[in-house]
Amino acid sequence: MAFSRSDSRAVDELRPIRFTRGWQEFAEGSVLVEFGNTRVLCAASFTPGVPRWKTGSGSGWVTAEYAMLPRATTTRNQRESIRGKIGGRTHEISRLIGRSLRAVVNLEALGENSITLDCDVLQADGGTRTAAITGAYVALADAISWGKENGHIRSDVRVLLDSVSAVSVGIIDGTPCLDLPYVEDVRADTDMNVVVTGNGNFVEVQGTAEGATFDRKELNTLLDLAVKGTSELAKLQAQALQED
Amino acid sequence: MAFSRSDSRAVDELRPIRFTRGWQEFAEGSVLVEFGNTRVLCAASFTPGVPRWKTGSGSGWVTAEYAMLPRATTTRNQRESIRGKIGGRTHEISRLIGRSLRAVVNLEALGENSITLDCDVLQADGGTRTAAITGAYVALADAISWGKENGHIRSDVRVLLDSVSAVSVGIIDGTPCLDLPYVEDVRADTDMNVVVTGNGNFVEVQGTAEGATFDRKELNTLLDLAVKGTSELAKLQAQALQED
Amino acid sequence: MAFSRSDSRAVDELRPIRFTRGWQEFAEGSVLVEFGNTRVLCAASFTPGVPRWKTGSGSGWVTAEYAMLPRATTTRNQRESIRGKIGGRTHEISRLIGRSLRAVVNLEALGENSITLDCDVLQADGGTRTAAITGAYVALADAISWGKENGHIRSDVRVLLDSVSAVSVGIIDGTPCLDLPYVEDVRADTDMNVVVTGNGNFVEVQGTAEGATFDRKELNTLLDLAVKGTSELAKLQAQALQED
Amino acid sequence: MAFSRSDSRAVDELRPIRFTRGWQEFAEGSVLVEFGNTRVLCAASFTPGVPRWKTGSGSGWVTAEYAMLPRATTTRNQRESIRGKIGGRTHEISRLIGRSLRAVVNLEALGENSITLDCDVLQADGGTRTAAITGAYVALADAISWGKENGHIRSDVRVLLDSVSAVSVGIIDGTPCLDLPYVEDVRADTDMNVVVTGNGNFVEVQGTAEGATFDRKELNTLLDLAVKGTSELAKLQAQALQED
Amino acid sequence: MAFSRSDSRAVDELRPIRFTRGWQEFAEGSVLVEFGNTRVLCAASFTPGVPRWKTGSGSGWVTAEYAMLPRATTTRNQRESIRGKIGGRTHEISRLIGRSLRAVVNLEALGENSITLDCDVLQADGGTRTAAITGAYVALADAISWGKENGHIRSDVRVLLDSVSAVSVGIIDGTPCLDLPYVEDVRADTDMNVVVTGNGNFVEVQGTAEGATFDRKELNTLLDLAVKGTSELAKLQAQALQED
Amino acid sequence: MAFSRSDSRAVDELRPIRFTRGWQEFAEGSVLVEFGNTRVLCAASFTPGVPRWKTGSGSGWVTAEYAMLPRATTTRNQRESIRGKIGGRTHEISRLIGRSLRAVVNLEALGENSITLDCDVLQADGGTRTAAITGAYVALADAISWGKENGHIRSDVRVLLDSVSAVSVGIIDGTPCLDLPYVEDVRADTDMNVVVTGNGNFVEVQGTAEGATFDRKELNTLLDLAVKGTSELAKLQAQALQED
């Protein structure tokens, strides 16, 4: 019997993707990104100046913080502010988003300015970290434009070297699939998040066996799917940024 | 010269109010409430069972947690999860929302069930705590309906004794005004948050002098405005709950 | 049948009030204040200089911290230092005391000096926050005198614009009463703390329904009682400060 | 030139010692102990039941918590609740008080009951930990009497095996002295706290060189002084407990 | 000019690897593992019973905690216990080690027993997480043997499905290299940690661009190196476990 | 019947003592010290500069941090970094080590430099704090030599005024014994840690009754044993420092 996905998509098909720029009106860049039912609000805050350890370096900094509303999920999660500490998963994803964005930023061209990306998951249906990276890139682009328009960045430099997006892939009942929603994610034997630049190079490859290990051939198929998915996401990002 | 408000409203006029029910699809009740540019996402989580100190009492519990996204405001605020503790203001508002809702809930009729209201401010333009109370009531009503439909609450009992809403009032340059946006809030000499039931009784009156003290006459005018505003909010809540 | 209070007081009568100045000998101002069995030790610490955010402003700062000894109450409470965090109630009361005192201080006249009021409840029998405000004012007055005598404040300026005191009022079995001890506090349907200046203006009005909501008429009666009580407290404060 | 003490006492003379029993009226035992200007409020809280690790053992537990009000000292100390953690010194002294008291308690005779001693320093002028131990013993004795009177402890068992008290000794400019106030404490080359039972046996000996080390002869002289001081304290404790 | 490594190794050559079993005598399994100058002490603690969320499941649990001594590195790092929280990197590595080990454990066969792997880096010269995984496997094997010998695990079940080891690979000046020491790690453009089972399947692939992104061909070369390195490590693990 | 020790030692005999200098290669001083099965890794970190409160004083600072690996003991202890706070015992021992070392350091001669001693217990079999002090002295001596060789300390000043070592003594079944391993420690009625300089003067005397109090004669015998033990340790320290 043929394998069929929970939402009838083809195995190499993305969920419906939507970017809403300017969702929060006070941020220098703000995007509500949707991968199907997954909704992440990405806010880019531009601050002249850099953390102490970069002062005087002439170059800037980009960092990210990921979090989830208590009721983004099917059952309520306790707030990390109430628990008094950030969990390991949150730390890990925040660091991943920051690294992914810095891979396409020319920090020297940014000058001594800092951009913080807040990625808050309003609704979680799988792939929140990849949606966060993909949306944060758009918010980042808007914040850099703001920095140029407001004279914080020289208008003649190229701060963004490329675009960056991310997608999850996984093996479900032996079938490699692209962009897993929550119901597929929990069934997947292998789960991989791949971050790819607009020109198709890798920034991060994070594959994890969850139950069954994976062989070299499966790894290759997963990478093929991820490259296809991120190349489509790159086009959608470009399209969103052209709107005004 | 006549006093005029930043957004040309009459002194006793509310900002445009909007309730979007079902904004988050996993919560038993979810409302995005807007008071002008202030946007608060209220999620009601229904859990059978009660905290240990109420076990065996036969009665339920309703509590609330308030928080703000880092970039809800014009400049970025550090996350309380990163700071490792909840600030005094957050605590105070969470407690206020919880008390306000419990004032209209028959906890015995709720039975040994708990409802947690998460009020996350997505955008802050003054009056976030009053918007949170007003929206949380609607989410609470939906969660109670869910509890009845799913057999957790007897369908023949009246859990909600009345509706409840809240509004801010304040004195700006000597003029008492209703429902202050941020620019007015910072200029106000006196700031008051008033929580009122649908039938017009008081649940909370919290008035604070910020610079100049206030006399009995001013206090009376502020209370009049608050009663007018909350009576309009009560109608809008009822209207929102009738939609399907 | 006539309503009668637990300690036979009239409904508009304060408990026995006592101020012992200089209780702690190292503080610039120190008062042990007693409202019946409620005992709060108020210490005012005068420090030249202001927090960073006020540096260079030419004006000073007054702040307060409220706490309770573990065995101030009938059963032992865990220390907040052991729990590793300040509870919501503590934060709320500390902020209330600070705001109440600042309402009567001319911060410009104070100059770049800071005064911290530590209000530690040694014994708690209801009304600890109102006793704290009332006692803290006396300790503050002493600390300001100390600042003048020691050349930190110009002797010809008026730092205190007025006195300030506070009292609790509440509705017990339908009867509005002044200055509730613990046994009445737990029975009250409505509980209100009112902070009033020496000349009779309001600084804070915090009324909370605990079980039954309250109407406009009840609110007015409670405010009348509070004004009467604080006017008596203002006289007792003045008297205490005249002693030497 | 002869050595003379700051307050003209003989080198082997205690400061004026005072015990005020029943200072806090809700605690099962409560004593305000004074060693000169040092004032410590000791409250004993009696709770039927024991911590989990002792449940079913048939024997009880005695523990202590030491703390200091922010303005007990000449300059204000930050609260440990605000800092979010207990300092090393506080931990160390709390543990010392607990061990010292347990040395004279027959935990089996206490039965499965817990007594917590809260020792809060209201004013600090040297020797706060020794005053705390000395006062806590008296509060403990009262709490044990309470436990017997209220049927939690069998009336025919001897819970307290002996009394216990403590005193500081130190070497100032080469002269060993008993019961050091703050001004002497900071000048002392060696500082020793000694905890002794009513019958003259040692419970704790904690000697520390602060600048100059000490030899065996000096150690012996310090121990002699401590034994003399604690034998006087034991008499004063007995006397305080006889009053009614 | 030919590329040459800091320690003259071939690009596909491991550093000298050493396992010292039984280094800590109280643990059920204990291994000091060395990858060149990197030294990690791995202790496996066997505890009958499982965390609450697994109770009654009939299956066991394996978890890990990674930490570093303050002076494992060339400059001292502050202790995480002093900072009061675990950093993001520590969390991330602890989770990675736990997942890697669980990938080769039959948790049902383990029964309701828990094994905690403590991996403490005594000296850090690159590749601490891969050394930790490789050493922890050996300690885990010893702890499982202990569990069988002591009757906690049935002796006829196979708990370990395969061995697991890990190695770092990276691209330095364009040259892919195996098992990077610290000096190479900081120069690497791409850094990848690969966890592989004894039979050559992947458990984790974590590749990160640090400055320059990497293409598909480079990714493949890195994976080839990692597979070669882990296959050698698997032999050394087996050898170490045969010794007695 | 004659008393006999668990490991057949004479009552006044030390366990086998071993110092391994240079165990960690990055620290300015590093010693693995062994007292029988107790193993403590002591690392001295030399940093030019002093904490803020000593800046400009011309003199240096020496401090220590003590910790224990989770599986140093027969059953696993939770990490203090995971619990989020340092326990009382850890604080107490860290402070003791720091004070003990400072007693033999001429801080003025050290100049404005800081040395931190990290004492991590890798295996715990009684006497960990005394082993830590004894080993830390050797690591400190090496770090001071490093400071002189690297021009941070003037080569003609004497920074170390004397050596310092420590040993535990205790009364077991009425018999005073030197250097207790864990099995004896838990049986001891009285436990004393004594820190002594090379010339035989006391730095710290910390005696604690654990169950039975002790009299003056027993105290004297314990001090005799401690003086004998530390005099032997001083010789072994000198010997270790002569090796190269």
Side-chain angles (χ1 to χ4, degrees):
Chain A
M1 198 193 81
F3 169 84
S4 111
R5 300 188 73 173
S6 60
D7 51 5
S8 317
R9 271 185 292 146
V11 293
D12 64 348
E13 193 182 344
L14 291 171
R15 289 179 282 180
I17 306 295
R18 196 153 59 138
F19 298 93
T20 310
R21 282 165 67 206
W23 205 90
Q24 281 177 312
E25 71 183 51
F26 302 132
E28 286 74 37
S30 166
V31 172
L32 180 69
V33 62
E34 295 169 81
F35 276 38
N37 285 324
T38 288
R39 291 187 200 165
V40 185
L41 185 53
C42 305
S45 297
F46 190 103
T47 323
V50 280
R52 210 165 8 176
W53 58 274
K54 289 219 83 175
T55 304
S57 68
S59 94
W61 193 238
V62 172
T63 188
E65 291 182 10
Y66 168 96
M68 205 179 264
L69 291 199
R71 204 50 204 280
T73 44
T74 49
T75 56
R76 185 176 186 270
N77 292 298
Q78 200 191 7
R79 287 174 194 273
E80 295 188 316
S81 58
I82 297 284
R83 267 188 282 158
K85 58 179 181 183
I86 296 294
R89 182 181 174 278
T90 298
H91 260 303
E92 208 168 307
I93 298 178
S94 294
R95 288 155 53 94
L96 170 65
I97 301 171
R99 279 199 312 269
S100 298
L101 296 174
R102 287 193 297 274
V104 296
V105 173
N106 180 346
L107 294 172
E108 281 69 33
L110 178 56
E112 291 205 6
N113 296 296
S114 299
I115 302 179
T116 302
L117 275 299
D118 285 292
C119 301
D120 286 88
V121 180
L122 304 186
Q123 195 158 278
D125 187 23
T128 61
R129 79 188 72 187
T130 54
I133 291 167
T134 306
Y137 167 75
V138 177
L140 174 66
D142 276 337
I144 288 169
S145 300
W146 182 95
K148 290 189 170 184
E149 282 155 23
N150 288 271
H152 295 291
I153 306 178
R154 286 175 46 191
S155 58
D156 58 343
V157 297
R158 195 169 159 215
V159 179
L160 282 174
L161 305 172
D162 201 344
S163 69
V164 66
S165 67
V167 79
S168 73
V169 287
I171 302 175
I172 301 160
D173 295 344
T175 307
C177 293
L178 176 66
D179 189 18
L180 316 188
Y182 183 71
V183 288
E184 291 182 357
D185 194 41
V186 294
R187 286 176 54 205
D189 286 327
T190 289
D191 183 26
M192 187 173 294
N193 292 295
V194 186
V195 184
V196 183
T197 61
N199 66 19
N201 275 354
F202 296 100
V203 174
E204 291 268 344
V205 174
Q206 298 198 336
T208 299
E210 312 265 4
T213 55
F214 51 104
D215 62 25
R216 188 68 173 265
K217 187 159 160 291
E218 290 170 319
L219 175 53
N220 281 330
T221 310
L222 291 172
L223 291 168
D224 290 342
L225 282 172
V227 168
K228 176 176 185 296
T230 49
S231 116
E232 290 172 25
L233 288 169
K235 286 197 198 87
L236 295 166
Q237 287 173 322
Q239 211 168 293
L241 284 166
Q242 269 154 19
E243 288 161 17
D244 214 46
Chain B
M1 200 192 81
F3 170 84
S4 111
R5 299 188 73 172
S6 60
D7 52 5
S8 316
R9 272 184 291 146
V11 293
D12 64 349
E13 191 182 345
L14 291 172
R15 289 180 284 179
I17 307 294
R18 195 152 61 138
F19 298 93
T20 310
R21 281 165 67 206
W23 205 90
Q24 281 176 312
E25 71 183 52
F26 301 132
E28 286 74 37
S30 166
V31 172
L32 180 69
V33 63
E34 295 169 81
F35 275 37
N37 285 323
T38 288
R39 292 186 200 164
V40 184
L41 186 53
C42 305
S45 297
F46 189 103
T47 321
V50 280
R52 211 164 8 175
W53 59 275
K54 289 219 83 175
T55 303
S57 67
S59 95
W61 192 239
V62 173
T63 188
E65 291 182 10
Y66 168 95
M68 204 180 266
L69 291 199
R71 203 51 203 281
T73 43
T74 50
T75 56
R76 183 176 187 272
N77 292 298
Q78 200 190 7
R79 287 173 195 273
E80 294 188 317
S81 58
I82 297 283
R83 268 188 281 160
K85 58 178 180 184
I86 296 294
R89 181 182 173 276
T90 298
H91 261 303
E92 209 168 307
I93 299 177
S94 295
R95 288 156 53 94
L96 170 64
I97 300 170
R99 279 200 311 270
S100 298
L101 297 174
R102 286 192 299 272
V104 296
V105 172
N106 180 346
L107 294 173
E108 282 68 33
L110 177 56
E112 290 205 7
N113 296 296
S114 299
I115 302 179
T116 302
L117 275 299
D118 285 293
C119 301
D120 287 89
V121 180
L122 304 186
Q123 196 158 276
D125 187 23
T128 60
R129 81 187 70 188
T130 54
I133 291 166
T134 306
Y137 167 75
V138 177
L140 174 65
D142 276 337
I144 287 169
S145 300
W146 182 94
K148 290 189 170 184
E149 283 155 23
N150 288 271
H152 296 290
I153 307 177
R154 287 175 45 191
S155 57
D156 60 341
V157 296
R158 195 168 160 216
V159 179
L160 284 173
L161 306 172
D162 201 343
S163 70
V164 66
S165 67
V167 79
S168 72
V169 287
I171 303 175
I172 301 161
D173 296 344
T175 307
C177 293
L178 176 66
D179 189 18
L180 315 189
Y182 183 71
V183 289
E184 291 182 358
D185 193 41
V186 295
R187 285 175 56 203
D189 285 328
T190 289
D191 182 26
M192 188 174 295
N193 292 295
V194 186
V195 184
V196 183
T197 61
N199 66 18
N201 275 353
F202 296 100
V203 174
E204 291 268 344
V205 175
Q206 298 199 336
T208 300
E210 312 265 5
T213 55
F214 52 103
D215 63 23
R216 188 68 173 266
K217 186 160 162 292
E218 290 170 319
L219 175 52
N220 281 331
T221 310
L222 291 172
L223 292 167
D224 291 342
L225 282 173
V227 168
K228 176 177 186 295
T230 49
S231 115
E232 290 172 25
L233 289 169
K235 286 198 197 86
L236 295 166
Q237 287 173 322
Q239 207 170 296
L241 283 166
Q242 270 153 20
E243 288 162 17
D244 214 48
Chain C
M1 198 193 80
F3 169 83
S4 111
R5 301 188 70 173
S6 61
D7 51 5
S8 317
R9 272 184 291 147
V11 294
D12 65 348
E13 191 183 346
L14 292 171
R15 289 179 284 179
I17 307 295
R18 195 153 59 140
F19 299 93
T20 309
R21 282 165 65 206
W23 204 89
Q24 281 176 313
E25 70 184 52
F26 302 133
E28 285 74 36
S30 164
V31 171
L32 179 69
V33 63
E34 295 168 81
F35 275 37
N37 284 324
T38 289
R39 291 185 201 165
V40 185
L41 186 52
C42 305
S45 297
F46 190 104
T47 323
V50 280
R52 211 164 9 177
W53 58 275
K54 291 221 79 175
T55 303
S57 68
S59 95
W61 193 238
V62 172
T63 188
E65 291 182 9
Y66 168 95
M68 204 180 267
L69 291 198
R71 203 50 202 281
T73 44
T74 50
T75 56
R76 187 177 184 269
N77 292 297
Q78 201 191 6
R79 289 173 192 272
E80 295 188 315
S81 57
I82 298 283
R83 268 187 280 159
K85 59 178 180 182
I86 296 294
R89 182 181 173 276
T90 298
H91 261 303
E92 208 167 309
I93 299 178
S94 294
R95 287 156 53 95
L96 169 65
I97 301 171
R99 280 199 312 270
S100 297
L101 296 174
R102 286 194 297 273
V104 296
V105 172
N106 180 345
L107 294 173
E108 282 68 33
L110 178 55
E112 290 205 4
N113 296 297
S114 299
I115 303 179
T116 302
L117 275 299
D118 285 292
C119 300
D120 285 89
V121 179
L122 304 186
Q123 196 159 276
D125 187 22
T128 60
R129 79 188 72 187
T130 54
I133 292 167
T134 306
Y137 167 74
V138 177
L140 174 66
D142 276 337
I144 288 169
S145 300
W146 183 94
K148 291 189 169 184
E149 280 155 25
N150 288 270
H152 296 292
I153 306 177
R154 285 175 47 192
S155 57
D156 59 342
V157 297
R158 195 166 159 217
V159 179
L160 284 173
L161 306 172
D162 200 343
S163 69
V164 66
S165 67
V167 80
S168 72
V169 287
I171 302 175
I172 302 161
D173 295 344
T175 307
C177 293
L178 176 68
D179 188 19
L180 315 187
Y182 182 71
V183 289
E184 291 182 357
D185 193 43
V186 295
R187 286 176 55 205
D189 285 327
T190 290
D191 183 27
M192 187 174 296
N193 292 294
V194 186
V195 185
V196 182
T197 61
N199 66 19
N201 275 354
F202 295 100
V203 174
E204 291 267 343
V205 174
Q206 297 199 337
T208 300
E210 311 266 6
T213 56
F214 52 102
D215 63 24
R216 189 69 173 265
K217 186 158 161 292
E218 289 170 319
L219 175 53
N220 282 331
T221 311
L222 290 172
L223 291 167
D224 291 342
L225 282 173
V227 168
K228 175 175 186 295
T230 49
S231 116
E232 290 173 24
L233 289 168
K235 286 196 197 89
L236 294 166
Q237 287 174 321
Q239 207 169 297
L241 283 165
Q242 269 153 21
E243 287 162 18
D244 216 49
Chain D
M1 199 193 83
F3 169 85
S4 111
R5 300 187 74 172
S6 61
D7 52 5
S8 317
R9 272 184 292 146
V11 293
D12 64 348
E13 192 182 345
L14 291 170
R15 288 179 284 180
I17 306 295
R18 197 153 57 140
F19 299 92
T20 309
R21 283 165 65 205
W23 206 89
Q24 281 176 312
E25 70 183 52
F26 301 132
E28 286 74 37
S30 166
V31 172
L32 179 70
V33 63
E34 296 169 80
F35 277 36
N37 284 325
T38 289
R39 292 188 200 163
V40 184
L41 186 52
C42 305
S45 298
F46 190 104
T47 324
V50 280
R52 209 164 11 176
W53 58 274
K54 289 218 82 174
T55 303
S57 68
S59 94
W61 192 239
V62 172
T63 189
E65 290 182 10
Y66 168 96
M68 204 179 267
L69 291 198
R71 203 51 203 281
T73 43
T74 49
T75 55
R76 186 176 185 270
N77 291 298
Q78 201 192 6
R79 288 174 194 271
E80 295 189 316
S81 56
I82 298 283
R83 267 186 282 159
K85 59 179 181 182
I86 296 293
R89 182 183 172 275
T90 298
H91 260 305
E92 209 168 307
I93 299 178
S94 294
R95 288 155 54 93
L96 170 64
I97 300 171
R99 279 199 312 272
S100 297
L101 296 174
R102 286 192 298 273
V104 297
V105 173
N106 180 346
L107 294 172
E108 281 70 33
L110 178 55
E112 289 205 6
N113 296 297
S114 299
I115 303 179
T116 302
L117 275 299
D118 285 293
C119 301
D120 285 88
V121 180
L122 304 186
Q123 194 158 280
D125 187 23
T128 60
R129 79 187 71 186
T130 54
I133 292 167
T134 306
Y137 166 75
V138 177
L140 173 65
D142 276 337
I144 288 169
S145 299
W146 183 94
K148 291 189 169 185
E149 282 155 24
N150 288 272
H152 296 290
I153 306 178
R154 287 176 44 193
S155 59
D156 60 340
V157 298
R158 196 169 159 214
V159 179
L160 283 174
L161 305 172
D162 201 344
S163 69
V164 66
S165 67
V167 79
S168 73
V169 287
I171 303 176
I172 301 159
D173 297 343
T175 305
C177 292
L178 176 67
D179 189 18
L180 315 188
Y182 183 70
V183 289
E184 291 182 357
D185 193 42
V186 294
R187 286 175 56 204
D189 286 326
T190 289
D191 183 27
M192 188 174 292
N193 292 295
V194 186
V195 184
V196 183
T197 60
N199 67 20
N201 276 354
F202 296 100
V203 173
E204 290 267 345
V205 174
Q206 297 198 338
T208 300
E210 312 266 4
T213 55
F214 52 102
D215 62 25
R216 188 69 173 266
K217 188 160 158 289
E218 289 171 320
L219 174 53
N220 281 330
T221 309
L222 290 172
L223 291 167
D224 291 342
L225 282 173
V227 167
K228 176 176 184 296
T230 49
S231 116
E232 290 173 24
L233 289 168
K235 287 199 195 86
L236 295 166
Q237 287 173 321
Q239 210 169 296
L241 284 166
Q242 270 154 18
E243 288 161 17
D244 216 47
Chain E
M1 200 194 80
F3 170 83
S4 112
R5 300 187 72 171
S6 61
D7 52 4
S8 316
R9 271 185 292 145
V11 293
D12 65 349
E13 192 182 344
L14 292 170
R15 288 179 286 180
I17 306 295
R18 196 154 58 141
F19 298 94
T20 309
R21 283 164 66 205
W23 205 90
Q24 281 176 312
E25 71 183 52
F26 301 132
E28 286 73 38
S30 165
V31 171
L32 179 70
V33 63
E34 296 168 82
F35 275 37
N37 284 323
T38 289
R39 291 185 201 166
V40 184
L41 186 52
C42 304
S45 297
F46 190 104
T47 322
V50 280
R52 211 162 10 173
W53 58 274
K54 291 219 80 174
T55 303
S57 68
S59 94
W61 193 238
V62 172
T63 189
E65 291 182 9
Y66 167 96
M68 204 180 266
L69 292 199
R71 203 51 203 281
T73 44
T74 50
T75 56
R76 187 177 185 271
N77 292 298
Q78 201 191 7
R79 289 174 193 273
E80 295 188 316
S81 57
I82 297 283
R83 268 187 281 159
K85 58 179 179 181
I86 296 294
R89 182 182 173 276
T90 298
H91 262 303
E92 207 168 308
I93 299 178
S94 295
R95 287 156 54 94
L96 169 65
I97 300 171
R99 279 198 313 269
S100 298
L101 297 174
R102 286 193 297 273
V104 296
V105 173
N106 180 345
L107 294 172
E108 281 69 33
L110 178 56
E112 289 205 6
N113 296 297
S114 299
I115 303 179
T116 303
L117 275 298
D118 285 293
C119 301
D120 286 89
V121 180
L122 305 185
Q123 195 158 278
D125 186 23
T128 60
R129 80 187 71 186
T130 54
I133 291 167
T134 307
Y137 167 75
V138 177
L140 174 65
D142 276 337
I144 288 169
S145 299
W146 182 94
K148 292 189 169 184
E149 281 155 24
N150 288 271
H152 296 291
I153 307 177
R154 286 176 45 193
S155 57
D156 59 343
V157 297
R158 194 167 160 217
V159 179
L160 284 173
L161 306 171
D162 200 343
S163 69
V164 67
S165 67
V167 79
S168 72
V169 287
I171 302 175
I172 301 160
D173 296 343
T175 306
C177 293
L178 176 67
D179 188 18
L180 315 188
Y182 183 71
V183 289
E184 291 182 358
D185 193 42
V186 295
R187 286 174 56 203
D189 286 327
T190 289
D191 183 27
M192 187 174 294
N193 293 294
V194 186
V195 184
V196 182
T197 61
N199 67 19
N201 275 354
F202 295 101
V203 174
E204 291 268 343
V205 174
Q206 298 199 336
T208 300
E210 311 267 5
T213 55
F214 52 102
D215 62 24
R216 189 69 173 266
K217 186 158 161 291
E218 289 170 320
L219 175 53
N220 282 330
T221 311
L222 290 173
L223 291 168
D224 291 341
L225 282 173
V227 168
K228 176 176 185 296
T230 49
S231 116
E232 290 172 24
L233 288 169
K235 286 196 196 90
L236 294 166
Q237 287 173 322
Q239 207 168 298
L241 283 166
Q242 269 153 20
E243 287 161 18
D244 216 49
Chain F
M1 199 193 83
F3 169 85
S4 110
R5 301 187 72 172
S6 61
D7 52 5
S8 316
R9 271 185 292 147
V11 294
D12 65 349
E13 192 182 343
L14 292 171
R15 288 180 283 180
I17 306 295
R18 196 153 60 141
F19 299 93
T20 309
R21 284 164 66 205
W23 205 90
Q24 280 175 313
E25 70 184 52
F26 301 132
E28 285 75 37
S30 165
V31 171
L32 179 70
V33 61
E34 295 169 80
F35 276 37
N37 283 325
T38 289
R39 292 186 201 166
V40 185
L41 185 53
C42 305
S45 296
F46 190 104
T47 323
V50 280
R52 212 165 7 177
W53 58 275
K54 290 220 82 174
T55 303
S57 68
S59 94
W61 192 239
V62 172
T63 188
E65 291 181 10
Y66 168 96
M68 204 179 266
L69 291 198
R71 204 50 205 279
T73 43
T74 50
T75 56
R76 187 176 185 271
N77 292 298
Q78 201 191 6
R79 288 174 194 272
E80 295 189 316
S81 57
I82 297 284
R83 267 187 281 158
K85 59 178 181 182
I86 295 294
R89 182 183 173 275
T90 298
H91 261 303
E92 207 167 308
I93 299 178
S94 294
R95 287 156 53 95
L96 170 64
I97 301 171
R99 279 199 312 270
S100 297
L101 296 174
R102 286 193 298 273
V104 297
V105 172
N106 180 346
L107 293 172
E108 282 69 33
L110 178 56
E112 289 205 6
N113 295 296
S114 298
I115 302 178
T116 302
L117 274 299
D118 285 293
C119 301
D120 286 89
V121 179
L122 304 186
Q123 194 158 279
D125 187 22
T128 60
R129 79 188 71 188
T130 54
I133 292 167
T134 306
Y137 167 74
V138 177
L140 174 65
D142 276 337
I144 288 169
S145 299
W146 183 94
K148 290 190 169 185
E149 282 155 24
N150 287 272
H152 296 290
I153 306 178
R154 285 176 46 194
S155 59
D156 60 341
V157 296
R158 198 171 157 211
V159 177
L160 284 173
L161 304 172
D162 201 343
S163 69
V164 66
S165 67
V167 79
S168 73
V169 287
I171 302 176
I172 302 160
D173 296 343
T175 307
C177 293
L178 176 66
D179 189 17
L180 315 188
Y182 182 71
V183 290
E184 292 183 357
D185 193 42
V186 294
R187 287 176 54 206
D189 286 326
T190 289
D191 183 27
M192 188 174 294
N193 293 294
V194 186
V195 185
V196 183
T197 60
N199 67 20
N201 275 354
F202 296 101
V203 174
E204 290 267 345
V205 174
Q206 298 199 337
T208 300
E210 312 266 5
T213 55
F214 52 103
D215 63 24
R216 188 69 173 265
K217 186 159 160 292
E218 289 170 319
L219 175 53
N220 281 331
T221 310
L222 290 173
L223 291 168
D224 291 341
L225 282 173
V227 168
K228 176 175 184 298
T230 49
S231 117
E232 290 172 24
L233 288 169
K235 285 197 197 89
L236 293 167
Q237 287 173 321
Q239 210 168 296
L241 283 166
Q242 268 153 20
E243 287 161 18
D244 217 45

